[in-house]
PDB file of all heavy atoms in Angstrom:
ATOM      1  N   TYR B 179       5.293  46.795   1.791  1.00  0.00           N
ATOM      2  CA  TYR B 179       4.980  45.402   1.471  1.00  0.00           C
ATOM      3  C   TYR B 179       4.022  45.385   0.292  1.00  0.00           C
ATOM      4  O   TYR B 179       3.102  46.196   0.209  1.00  0.00           O
ATOM      5  CB  TYR B 179       4.315  44.698   2.656  1.00  0.00           C
ATOM      6  CG  TYR B 179       5.192  44.616   3.884  1.00  0.00           C
ATOM      7  CD1 TYR B 179       5.085  45.571   4.903  1.00  0.00           C
ATOM      8  CD2 TYR B 179       6.135  43.612   4.028  1.00  0.00           C
ATOM      9  CE1 TYR B 179       5.897  45.512   6.014  1.00  0.00           C
ATOM     10  CE2 TYR B 179       6.950  43.544   5.141  1.00  0.00           C
ATOM     11  CZ  TYR B 179       6.826  44.490   6.126  1.00  0.00           C
ATOM     12  OH  TYR B 179       7.628  44.431   7.230  1.00  0.00           O
ATOM     13  N   LEU B 180       4.239  44.451  -0.608  1.00  0.00           N
ATOM     14  CA  LEU B 180       3.419  44.378  -1.813  1.00  0.00           C
ATOM     15  C   LEU B 180       3.182  42.922  -2.151  1.00  0.00           C
ATOM     16  O   LEU B 180       4.123  42.126  -2.177  1.00  0.00           O
ATOM     17  CB  LEU B 180       4.137  45.087  -2.957  1.00  0.00           C
ATOM     18  CG  LEU B 180       3.402  45.310  -4.261  1.00  0.00           C
ATOM     19  CD1 LEU B 180       2.108  46.072  -4.034  1.00  0.00           C
ATOM     20  CD2 LEU B 180       4.291  46.066  -5.233  1.00  0.00           C
ATOM     21  N   PHE B 181       1.923  42.613  -2.416  1.00  0.00           N
ATOM     22  CA  PHE B 181       1.568  41.255  -2.804  1.00  0.00           C
ATOM     23  C   PHE B 181       0.987  41.310  -4.203  1.00  0.00           C
ATOM     24  O   PHE B 181       0.213  42.200  -4.538  1.00  0.00           O
ATOM     25  CB  PHE B 181       0.555  40.666  -1.817  1.00  0.00           C
ATOM     26  CG  PHE B 181       1.089  40.547  -0.428  1.00  0.00           C
ATOM     27  CD1 PHE B 181       0.987  41.604   0.466  1.00  0.00           C
ATOM     28  CD2 PHE B 181       1.735  39.398  -0.027  1.00  0.00           C
ATOM     29  CE1 PHE B 181       1.499  41.505   1.752  1.00  0.00           C
ATOM     30  CE2 PHE B 181       2.249  39.282   1.256  1.00  0.00           C
ATOM     31  CZ  PHE B 181       2.136  40.346   2.142  1.00  0.00           C
ATOM     32  N   ARG B 182       1.348  40.334  -4.987  1.00  0.00           N
ATOM     33  CA  ARG B 182       0.868  40.331  -6.361  1.00  0.00           C
ATOM     34  C   ARG B 182       0.574  38.903  -6.779  1.00  0.00           C
ATOM     35  O   ARG B 182       1.231  37.966  -6.314  1.00  0.00           O
ATOM     36  CB  ARG B 182       1.938  40.974  -7.239  1.00  0.00           C
ATOM     37  CG  ARG B 182       1.968  40.524  -8.652  1.00  0.00           C
ATOM     38  CD  ARG B 182       3.263  40.843  -9.355  1.00  0.00           C
ATOM     39  NE  ARG B 182       3.629  39.697 -10.170  1.00  0.00           N
ATOM     40  CZ  ARG B 182       4.658  39.669 -10.962  1.00  0.00           C
ATOM     41  NH1 ARG B 182       5.448  40.719 -11.061  1.00  0.00           N
ATOM     42  NH2 ARG B 182       4.933  38.591 -11.654  1.00  0.00           N
ATOM     43  N   LYS B 183      -0.389  38.776  -7.655  1.00  0.00           N
ATOM     44  CA  LYS B 183      -0.692  37.449  -8.198  1.00  0.00           C
ATOM     45  C   LYS B 183       0.224  37.185  -9.379  1.00  0.00           C
ATOM     46  O   LYS B 183       0.636  38.117 -10.086  1.00  0.00           O
ATOM     47  CB  LYS B 183      -2.147  37.380  -8.650  1.00  0.00           C
ATOM     48  CG  LYS B 183      -3.148  37.417  -7.511  1.00  0.00           C
ATOM     49  CD  LYS B 183      -4.558  37.279  -8.045  1.00  0.00           C
ATOM     50  CE  LYS B 183      -5.558  37.330  -6.905  1.00  0.00           C
ATOM     51  NZ  LYS B 183      -6.952  37.269  -7.388  1.00  0.00           N
ATOM     52  N   GLU B 184       0.488  35.944  -9.620  1.00  0.00           N
ATOM     53  CA  GLU B 184       1.307  35.562 -10.786  1.00  0.00           C
ATOM     54  C   GLU B 184       0.664  36.096 -12.055  1.00  0.00           C
ATOM     55  O   GLU B 184      -0.559  36.071 -12.209  1.00  0.00           O
ATOM     56  CB  GLU B 184       1.388  34.040 -10.887  1.00  0.00           C
ATOM     57  CG  GLU B 184       2.634  33.477 -10.256  1.00  0.00           C
ATOM     58  CD  GLU B 184       2.823  32.003 -10.590  1.00  0.00           C
ATOM     59  OE1 GLU B 184       2.902  31.687 -11.781  1.00  0.00           O
ATOM     60  OE2 GLU B 184       2.851  31.218  -9.645  1.00  0.00           O
ATOM     61  N   GLY B 185       1.498  36.590 -12.950  1.00  0.00           N
ATOM     62  CA  GLY B 185       0.999  37.083 -14.224  1.00  0.00           C
ATOM     63  C   GLY B 185       0.663  38.559 -14.236  1.00  0.00           C
ATOM     64  O   GLY B 185       0.333  39.110 -15.285  1.00  0.00           O
ATOM     65  N   GLN B 186       0.745  39.214 -13.069  1.00  0.00           N
ATOM     66  CA  GLN B 186       0.448  40.645 -13.002  1.00  0.00           C
ATOM     67  C   GLN B 186       1.732  41.454 -13.016  1.00  0.00           C
ATOM     68  O   GLN B 186       2.725  41.067 -12.402  1.00  0.00           O
ATOM     69  CB  GLN B 186      -0.309  40.958 -11.712  1.00  0.00           C
ATOM     70  CG  GLN B 186      -1.739  40.484 -11.682  1.00  0.00           C
ATOM     71  CD  GLN B 186      -2.425  40.855 -10.382  1.00  0.00           C
ATOM     72  OE1 GLN B 186      -1.777  41.095  -9.371  1.00  0.00           O
ATOM     73  NE2 GLN B 186      -3.746  40.895 -10.411  1.00  0.00           N
ATOM     74  N   ASN B 187       1.672  42.587 -13.689  1.00  0.00           N
ATOM     75  CA  ASN B 187       2.764  43.553 -13.573  1.00  0.00           C
ATOM     76  C   ASN B 187       2.547  44.385 -12.307  1.00  0.00           C
ATOM     77  O   ASN B 187       1.399  44.610 -11.887  1.00  0.00           O
ATOM     78  CB  ASN B 187       2.788  44.508 -14.768  1.00  0.00           C
ATOM     79  CG  ASN B 187       3.191  43.815 -16.046  1.00  0.00           C
ATOM     80  OD1 ASN B 187       3.523  42.641 -16.057  1.00  0.00           O
ATOM     81  ND2 ASN B 187       3.148  44.548 -17.140  1.00  0.00           N
ATOM     82  N   VAL B 188       3.635  44.859 -11.706  1.00  0.00           N
ATOM     83  CA  VAL B 188       3.514  45.715 -10.540  1.00  0.00           C
ATOM     84  C   VAL B 188       4.624  46.756 -10.583  1.00  0.00           C
ATOM     85  O   VAL B 188       5.733  46.465 -11.038  1.00  0.00           O
ATOM     86  CB  VAL B 188       3.576  44.888  -9.237  1.00  0.00           C
ATOM     87  CG1 VAL B 188       4.915  44.202  -9.089  1.00  0.00           C
ATOM     88  CG2 VAL B 188       3.275  45.735  -8.029  1.00  0.00           C
ATOM     89  N   THR B 189       4.308  47.977 -10.143  1.00  0.00           N
ATOM     90  CA  THR B 189       5.293  49.064 -10.168  1.00  0.00           C
ATOM     91  C   THR B 189       5.648  49.489  -8.755  1.00  0.00           C
ATOM     92  O   THR B 189       4.766  49.763  -7.930  1.00  0.00           O
ATOM     93  CB  THR B 189       4.752  50.270 -10.961  1.00  0.00           C
ATOM     94  OG1 THR B 189       4.523  49.869 -12.321  1.00  0.00           O
ATOM     95  CG2 THR B 189       5.754  51.414 -10.939  1.00  0.00           C
ATOM     96  N   LEU B 190       6.959  49.532  -8.491  1.00  0.00           N
ATOM     97  CA  LEU B 190       7.486  49.972  -7.207  1.00  0.00           C
ATOM     98  C   LEU B 190       7.964  51.411  -7.348  1.00  0.00           C
ATOM     99  O   LEU B 190       8.670  51.752  -8.300  1.00  0.00           O
ATOM    100  CB  LEU B 190       8.658  49.089  -6.788  1.00  0.00           C
ATOM    101  CG  LEU B 190       8.365  47.706  -6.204  1.00  0.00           C
ATOM    102  CD1 LEU B 190       7.548  46.846  -7.140  1.00  0.00           C
ATOM    103  CD2 LEU B 190       9.663  47.006  -5.846  1.00  0.00           C
TER     104      LEU B 190
END
Side-chain angles (χ1 to χ4, degrees):
Chain B
Y179 298 96
L180 188 56
F181 297 88
R182 152 198 139 176
K183 291 183 181 177
E184 264 191 58
Q186 288 181 338
N187 291 356
V188 63
T189 298
L190 282 57

